Amino acid sequence: MMKIKQQNSLQFILTKRLTIIVALCWIAGSVLAAYSMYHELEEAADTGLVETARRGSTLMRFYFDAHWDGSSMVVMPTPADQVASTDNDGDEENVADYLLYQLRAANGDVLLRSHNAMAAPFAAPVAVGFYQDDDFRIYTARSGDGQLYMQVAEPLEHRHEAILESVAAQFLPIALLIPTVIIGIILGVRQGLVPVQRVRDEIEARGEGNLTPIEQEEAPEEITTIVSAVNSLMGKLEAALNVERSFTANSAHELRTPIAAALAQTQRLVLELPEGHESRKRALQTEASLKRLSRLAEKLLQLARAEAGGGFSPTGHDQKLGSTLLLVIDDLMRAGIDGSDIVYDSDAVATLEANIDHDAFAICLRNLIENALRHGAKDQPVEITVTDRHIIRVANGGPAIAAGNLDDLKTRFKRSHNSGDGAGLGLAIVDAIVRNTRSELNLYSPRPGKTDGFMAELILHQS
Amino acid sequence: MRILLVEDEIMLGEAVRDHLLASGEAVDHSENVTDAEIMMRTTNYDVLLLDLNLPDGSGLDLLRGLRRRGSAIPCIILTAQDQISDRIAGLNAGADDYLVKPFDLNELSARLAAVARRYSGNPNPFVTLDGGVEVDLAGRTVLVDGVQTDLTSREWALLDQMVRRPGQTLSKRQLEEALYEFGAEIESNTVEVYVSRVRRKLGRDVIKTVRGVGYRV
């Protein structure tokens, strides 16, 4: 039997209801047919009784006249050619045995009987017509001269058996056909729902990274309205997301430039003030605050971008990311990181490939590497490893973090140490991007195979 | 070095300009694309510092236009656009480096020097001259027989111009252009005065005079 995925799926509901309806219709039809067949068989059997009685009465009269000795009852012999016959199933039976008959006088005496009839008279009165008791259906016919009565009896048990066999013969193929029909219904419903499932798959494939309209041609007429509504909703959603992304992008520019101006002016002030001047210390403090503000603004903007959604590759397919990772590392080195502080295998990095946008990927890696450099042991390099083309691990030495605190690190403004260095947003940003791009971020401390350190594992989504 | 700074944020532009001037560089400041194009047509700049979002156009388009016309002027982009895709676009347009705002002025100086060194054909910042003079272009220090000698910013700028092109004779006009921005008051014998001062501090053999042409190291 084919598997139907969900009990509340349209396919399951349609299959169940159609099966029940078809089965009930078949049962009702079969009951009606059985009822009709019962009456037809009753009628046919009665006709048989009448014909037998009418035709047999003349013959029985001749036989009676030839063999009656004036006192004892005549008993018909068993017909030699009817002793053993074979029915359709191959079983031997006496095909005439089920009919019993008696030739009776008008006063009710039994003058002649068939070999299988009892000697006592039938319960039926000596009058033309049908009579039925608990055991027999009897028809009485008058002989040709009108003086004797021929009574033919059929056991009701035989008649009922015949009717039951006929009805059973009708129901058996139906019972066998029902599973076949259920399979047929499932296949038919499944085939019929293919366009609906295609639309469902199209909708499922949509997400923050893919809000393109669903092709209307794919949709069956019945759900065109739904598809139109979904397309309209996605259009509005995309517009809203674009506004949000545009806002964060503009905010980046609008915020960074004045901070840059303030920082540059402050740095000039520091350089222009002579050593030992009372304002120099304040200028240095202002410079430090502006640098901290700059880092915080950068992280908040990254978080805003990450939470605005998106992050998949623009094509919706995997794209090469090795050069982007190298650019991030190069950028960090230009910012003053010693090249020997980061260790990686260029060949493995070149294999990197996943369904993620270059900017989102760069933000993830920059944050992971910055965290490792900031919190890791200064005498050990940060190790970046790439496996299976889409799994990146960034590991650093240093004291291990308590297991209970690991997941908390993904929370905003949560730091592993209370040093206050860093905004406490790096892993929250990575976590937001990971959620948007159906990727996975796992944190380990101590590093696998070591007794200390920390490792972030990024399993990127592949299309 | 003669530097063109294209930056529309006045406070930032002034701070950068003042910082570079204090380092002995000659800096011209433009706040838009149009002025920048005019200035580049009339002056040979050693480095272009370029913002991207300018009031009358995109800095990236300006850079692409320069590269299309065959200009090889070193360019450092200064921008608030921090995405890696922006950086890739900038580098693909022909930028030599990319500095995201806000940046440290000392980092800007270091990157300027690195880019200038790459273009001079000698990325090694340590240069040895005649007379036991060792110059560290990155650290902006000069040693004479192992002893550090202090130079003023103008003296350093003059030496820096010649050290970047060892063996090449630079004309007086070339040196003036490298030492002074637009509007600066230049005496007719300014270059001779600074050459003389450098010779006094580092020794007479360091800078050679090519009569009727200019100077070289």
Side-chain angles (χ1 to χ4, degrees):
Chain A
M1 182 66 69
M2 270 156 284
K3 186 182 173 188
I4 300 175
K5 285 178 188 170
Q6 293 171 338
Q7 293 225 332
N8 57 354
S9 73
L10 191 57
Q11 185 181 324
F12 177 80
I13 291 167
L14 279 175
T15 304
K16 187 176 78 174
R17 290 188 181 174
L18 281 173
T19 305
I20 290 170
I21 289 168
V22 168
L24 286 176
C25 286
W26 265 7
I27 290 167
S30 300
V31 168
L32 284 173
Y35 182 75
S36 173
M37 186 188 293
Y38 173 81
H39 282 282
E40 290 300 322
L41 286 172
E42 282 275 332
E43 200 176 308
D46 284 351
T47 304
L49 278 181
V50 171
E51 289 296 317
T52 306
R54 283 180 183 166
R55 292 172 197 274
S57 61
T58 308
L59 295 172
M60 292 306 110
R61 181 59 193 268
F62 282 131
Y63 190 85
F64 173 71
D65 290 343
H67 293 84
W68 195 55
D69 59 4
S71 59
S72 57
M73 183 187 301
V74 177
V75 177
M76 293 286 288
T78 303
D81 59 342
Q82 291 183 7
V83 169
S85 178
T86 305
D87 67 5
N88 291 338
D89 299 328
D91 299 329
E92 281 193 353
E93 65 171 4
N94 193 332
V95 292
D97 268 357
Y98 64 89
L99 285 180
L100 302 84
Y101 50 88
Q102 290 180 344
L103 191 64
R104 295 173 68 181
N107 62 1
D109 291 343
V110 177
L111 304 175
L112 178 146
R113 67 176 176 87
S114 62
H115 71 281
N116 56 350
M118 63 290 280
F122 290 146
V126 183
V128 174
F130 283 101
Y131 174 84
Q132 184 171 317
D133 61 13
D134 290 342
D135 298 321
F136 294 99
R137 176 89 171 158
I138 300 166
Y139 182 75
T140 305
R142 192 177 285 150
S143 64
D145 56 6
Q147 294 174 348
L148 299 178
Y149 292 88
M150 172 77 176
Q151 289 187 323
V152 180
E154 182 186 5
L156 287 176
E157 186 186 353
H158 173 267
R159 182 176 284 203
H160 292 158
E161 186 187 334
I163 290 171
L164 279 175
E165 281 179 3
S166 301
V167 171
Q170 181 198 355
F171 271 99
L172 191 63
I174 290 174
L176 291 173
L177 274 173
I178 282 179
T180 313
V181 169
I182 290 172
I183 292 170
I185 288 172
I186 291 171
L187 288 174
V189 168
R190 180 173 289 183
Q191 188 64 30
L193 289 177
V194 163
V196 178
Q197 284 171 342
R198 205 176 293 138
V199 170
R200 184 198 64 182
D201 293 343
E202 287 277 319
I203 293 173
E204 268 184 356
R206 297 302 186 274
E208 285 155 352
N210 179 10
L211 291 170
T212 52
I214 297 165
E215 292 291 331
Q216 291 279 7
E217 295 78 40
E218 294 285 320
E221 195 180 332
E222 290 82 354
I223 59 168
T224 304
T225 316
I226 297 172
V227 172
S228 298
V230 169
N231 281 344
S232 166
L233 190 64
M234 285 197 298
K236 287 175 185 168
L237 187 60
E238 186 164 30
L241 285 172
N242 284 339
V243 167
E244 195 171 341
R245 285 171 194 152
S246 167
F247 175 75
T248 51
N250 290 336
S251 301
H253 184 259
E254 296 304 321
L255 199 58
R256 281 172 176 280
T257 304
I259 292 175
L263 180 63
Q265 290 286 358
T266 308
Q267 287 181 332
R268 281 307 310 152
L269 185 63
V270 169
L271 291 169
E272 286 167 7
L273 285 171
E275 286 286 346
H277 192 282
E278 59 179 14
S279 297
R280 190 177 158 84
K281 187 181 170 189
R282 285 194 184 142
L284 284 168
Q285 286 171 339
T286 306
E287 181 190 6
S289 294
L290 283 168
K291 283 184 174 175
R292 206 159 47 243
L293 174 65
S294 162
R295 282 198 297 273
L296 183 61
E298 181 189 350
K299 296 299 171 193
L300 286 172
L301 289 166
Q302 284 181 358
L303 186 63
R305 277 196 191 111
E307 296 199 333
F312 281 114
S313 152
T315 60
H317 300 293
D318 295 346
Q319 58 180 352
K320 296 275 186 189
L321 298 165
S323 56
T324 306
L325 175 55
L326 294 179
L327 209 53
V328 170
I329 295 170
D330 178 61
D331 203 30
L332 286 166
M333 290 199 292
R334 280 169 188 263
I337 303 298
D338 187 343
S340 62
D341 290 343
I342 303 174
V343 177
Y344 59 92
D345 176 359
S346 307
D347 292 338
V349 167
T351 65
L352 256 176
E353 202 173 62
N355 182 9
I356 188 170
D357 174 58
H358 285 290
D359 291 327
F361 173 73
I363 289 173
C364 284
L365 264 294
R366 189 179 174 102
N367 277 292
L368 292 179
I369 299 170
E370 275 180 349
N371 273 356
L373 289 166
R374 182 175 293 122
H375 302 298
K378 303 301 172 204
D379 58 343
Q380 294 178 43
V382 170
E383 291 178 11
I384 301 172
T385 51
V386 175
T387 53
D388 295 338
R389 297 189 303 134
H390 71 296
I391 301 174
I392 309 163
R393 297 182 182 91
V394 180
N396 60 268
I401 298 164
N405 296 337
L406 272 180
D407 277 341
D408 288 348
L409 295 179
K410 296 178 186 174
T411 312
R412 294 174 198 179
F413 301 109
K414 192 77 183 178
R415 298 177 179 89
S416 61
H417 305 93
N418 292 323
S419 63
D421 190 16
L425 287 170
L427 288 177
I429 292 164
V430 178
D431 190 47
I433 292 172
V434 158
R435 276 186 276 114
N436 289 340
T437 55
R438 296 189 211 155
S439 301
E440 199 178 319
L441 173 65
N442 301 314
L443 306 179
Y444 302 91
S445 187
R447 292 172 286 178
K450 300 277 176 74
T451 55
D452 69 341
F454 174 85
M455 186 181 88
E457 180 185 60
L458 190 60
I459 304 174
L460 296 169
H461 173 72
Q462 288 196 302
S463 60
Chain B
M1 280 190 293
R2 186 74 180 264
I3 297 166
L4 175 59
L5 168 66
V6 188
E7 168 62 63
D8 64 328
E9 168 63 36
I10 295 169
M11 270 179 66
L12 177 62
E14 283 178 354
V16 170
R17 185 197 60 201
D18 292 350
H19 182 73
L20 296 175
L21 285 173
S23 305
E25 317 293 0
V27 184
D28 293 321
H29 180 195
S30 163
E31 292 170 20
N32 54 61
V33 173
T34 312
D35 289 352
E37 283 179 331
I38 293 168
M39 291 160 96
M40 278 188 290
R41 274 201 291 271
T42 56
T43 309
N44 288 321
Y45 289 100
D46 295 307
V47 178
L48 172 65
L49 296 178
L50 183 63
D51 184 18
L52 293 185
N53 290 326
L54 294 163
D56 60 342
S58 160
L60 222 48
D61 290 340
L62 170 67
L63 180 58
R64 285 196 191 100
L66 283 173
R67 296 296 184 236
R68 266 199 299 273
R69 291 194 293 274
S71 169
I73 180 174
C75 174
I76 298 176
I77 288 177
L78 309 176
T79 180
Q81 295 173 5
D82 63 332
Q83 297 281 65
I84 206 87
S85 52
D86 299 325
R87 182 177 306 245
I88 291 168
L91 296 176
N92 285 343
D96 297 90
D97 206 345
Y98 195 100
L99 207 50
V100 177
K101 297 173 188 173
F103 48 81
D104 194 300
L105 290 175
N106 290 327
E107 188 184 351
L108 172 64
S109 296
R111 298 226 189 166
L112 255 175
V115 167
R117 278 200 307 277
R118 280 208 298 275
Y119 269 80
S120 71
N122 181 19
N124 184 359
F126 300 103
V127 181
T128 304
L129 303 175
D130 293 343
V133 176
E134 294 168 83
V135 182
D136 175 3
L137 291 169
R140 297 173 74 93
T141 56
V142 183
L143 300 179
V144 181
D145 296 328
V147 180
Q148 185 166 333
T149 304
D150 294 331
L151 298 179
T152 66
S153 59
R154 292 285 184 209
E155 289 163 1
W156 169 261
L158 180 84
L159 181 67
D160 181 63
Q161 277 296 308
M162 290 189 281
V163 169
R164 286 182 197 287
R165 301 169 182 83
Q168 184 182 336
T169 303
L170 300 178
S171 68
K172 185 180 165 190
R173 175 159 175 77
Q174 276 179 303
L175 289 171
E176 279 175 353
E177 274 196 357
L179 291 172
Y180 291 96
E181 63 280 4
F182 285 131
E185 288 183 13
I186 311 172
E187 300 289 333
S188 60
N189 63 344
T190 299
V191 171
E192 287 87 344
V193 169
Y194 281 109
V195 167
S196 168
R197 286 182 184 175
V198 171
R199 279 176 173 158
R200 236 189 345 262
K201 289 185 178 179
L202 306 184
R204 297 205 57 78
D205 298 335
V206 173
I207 299 175
K208 296 173 178 61
T209 304
V210 182
R211 294 206 179 277
V213 182
Y215 302 92
R216 66 179 163 82
V217 295

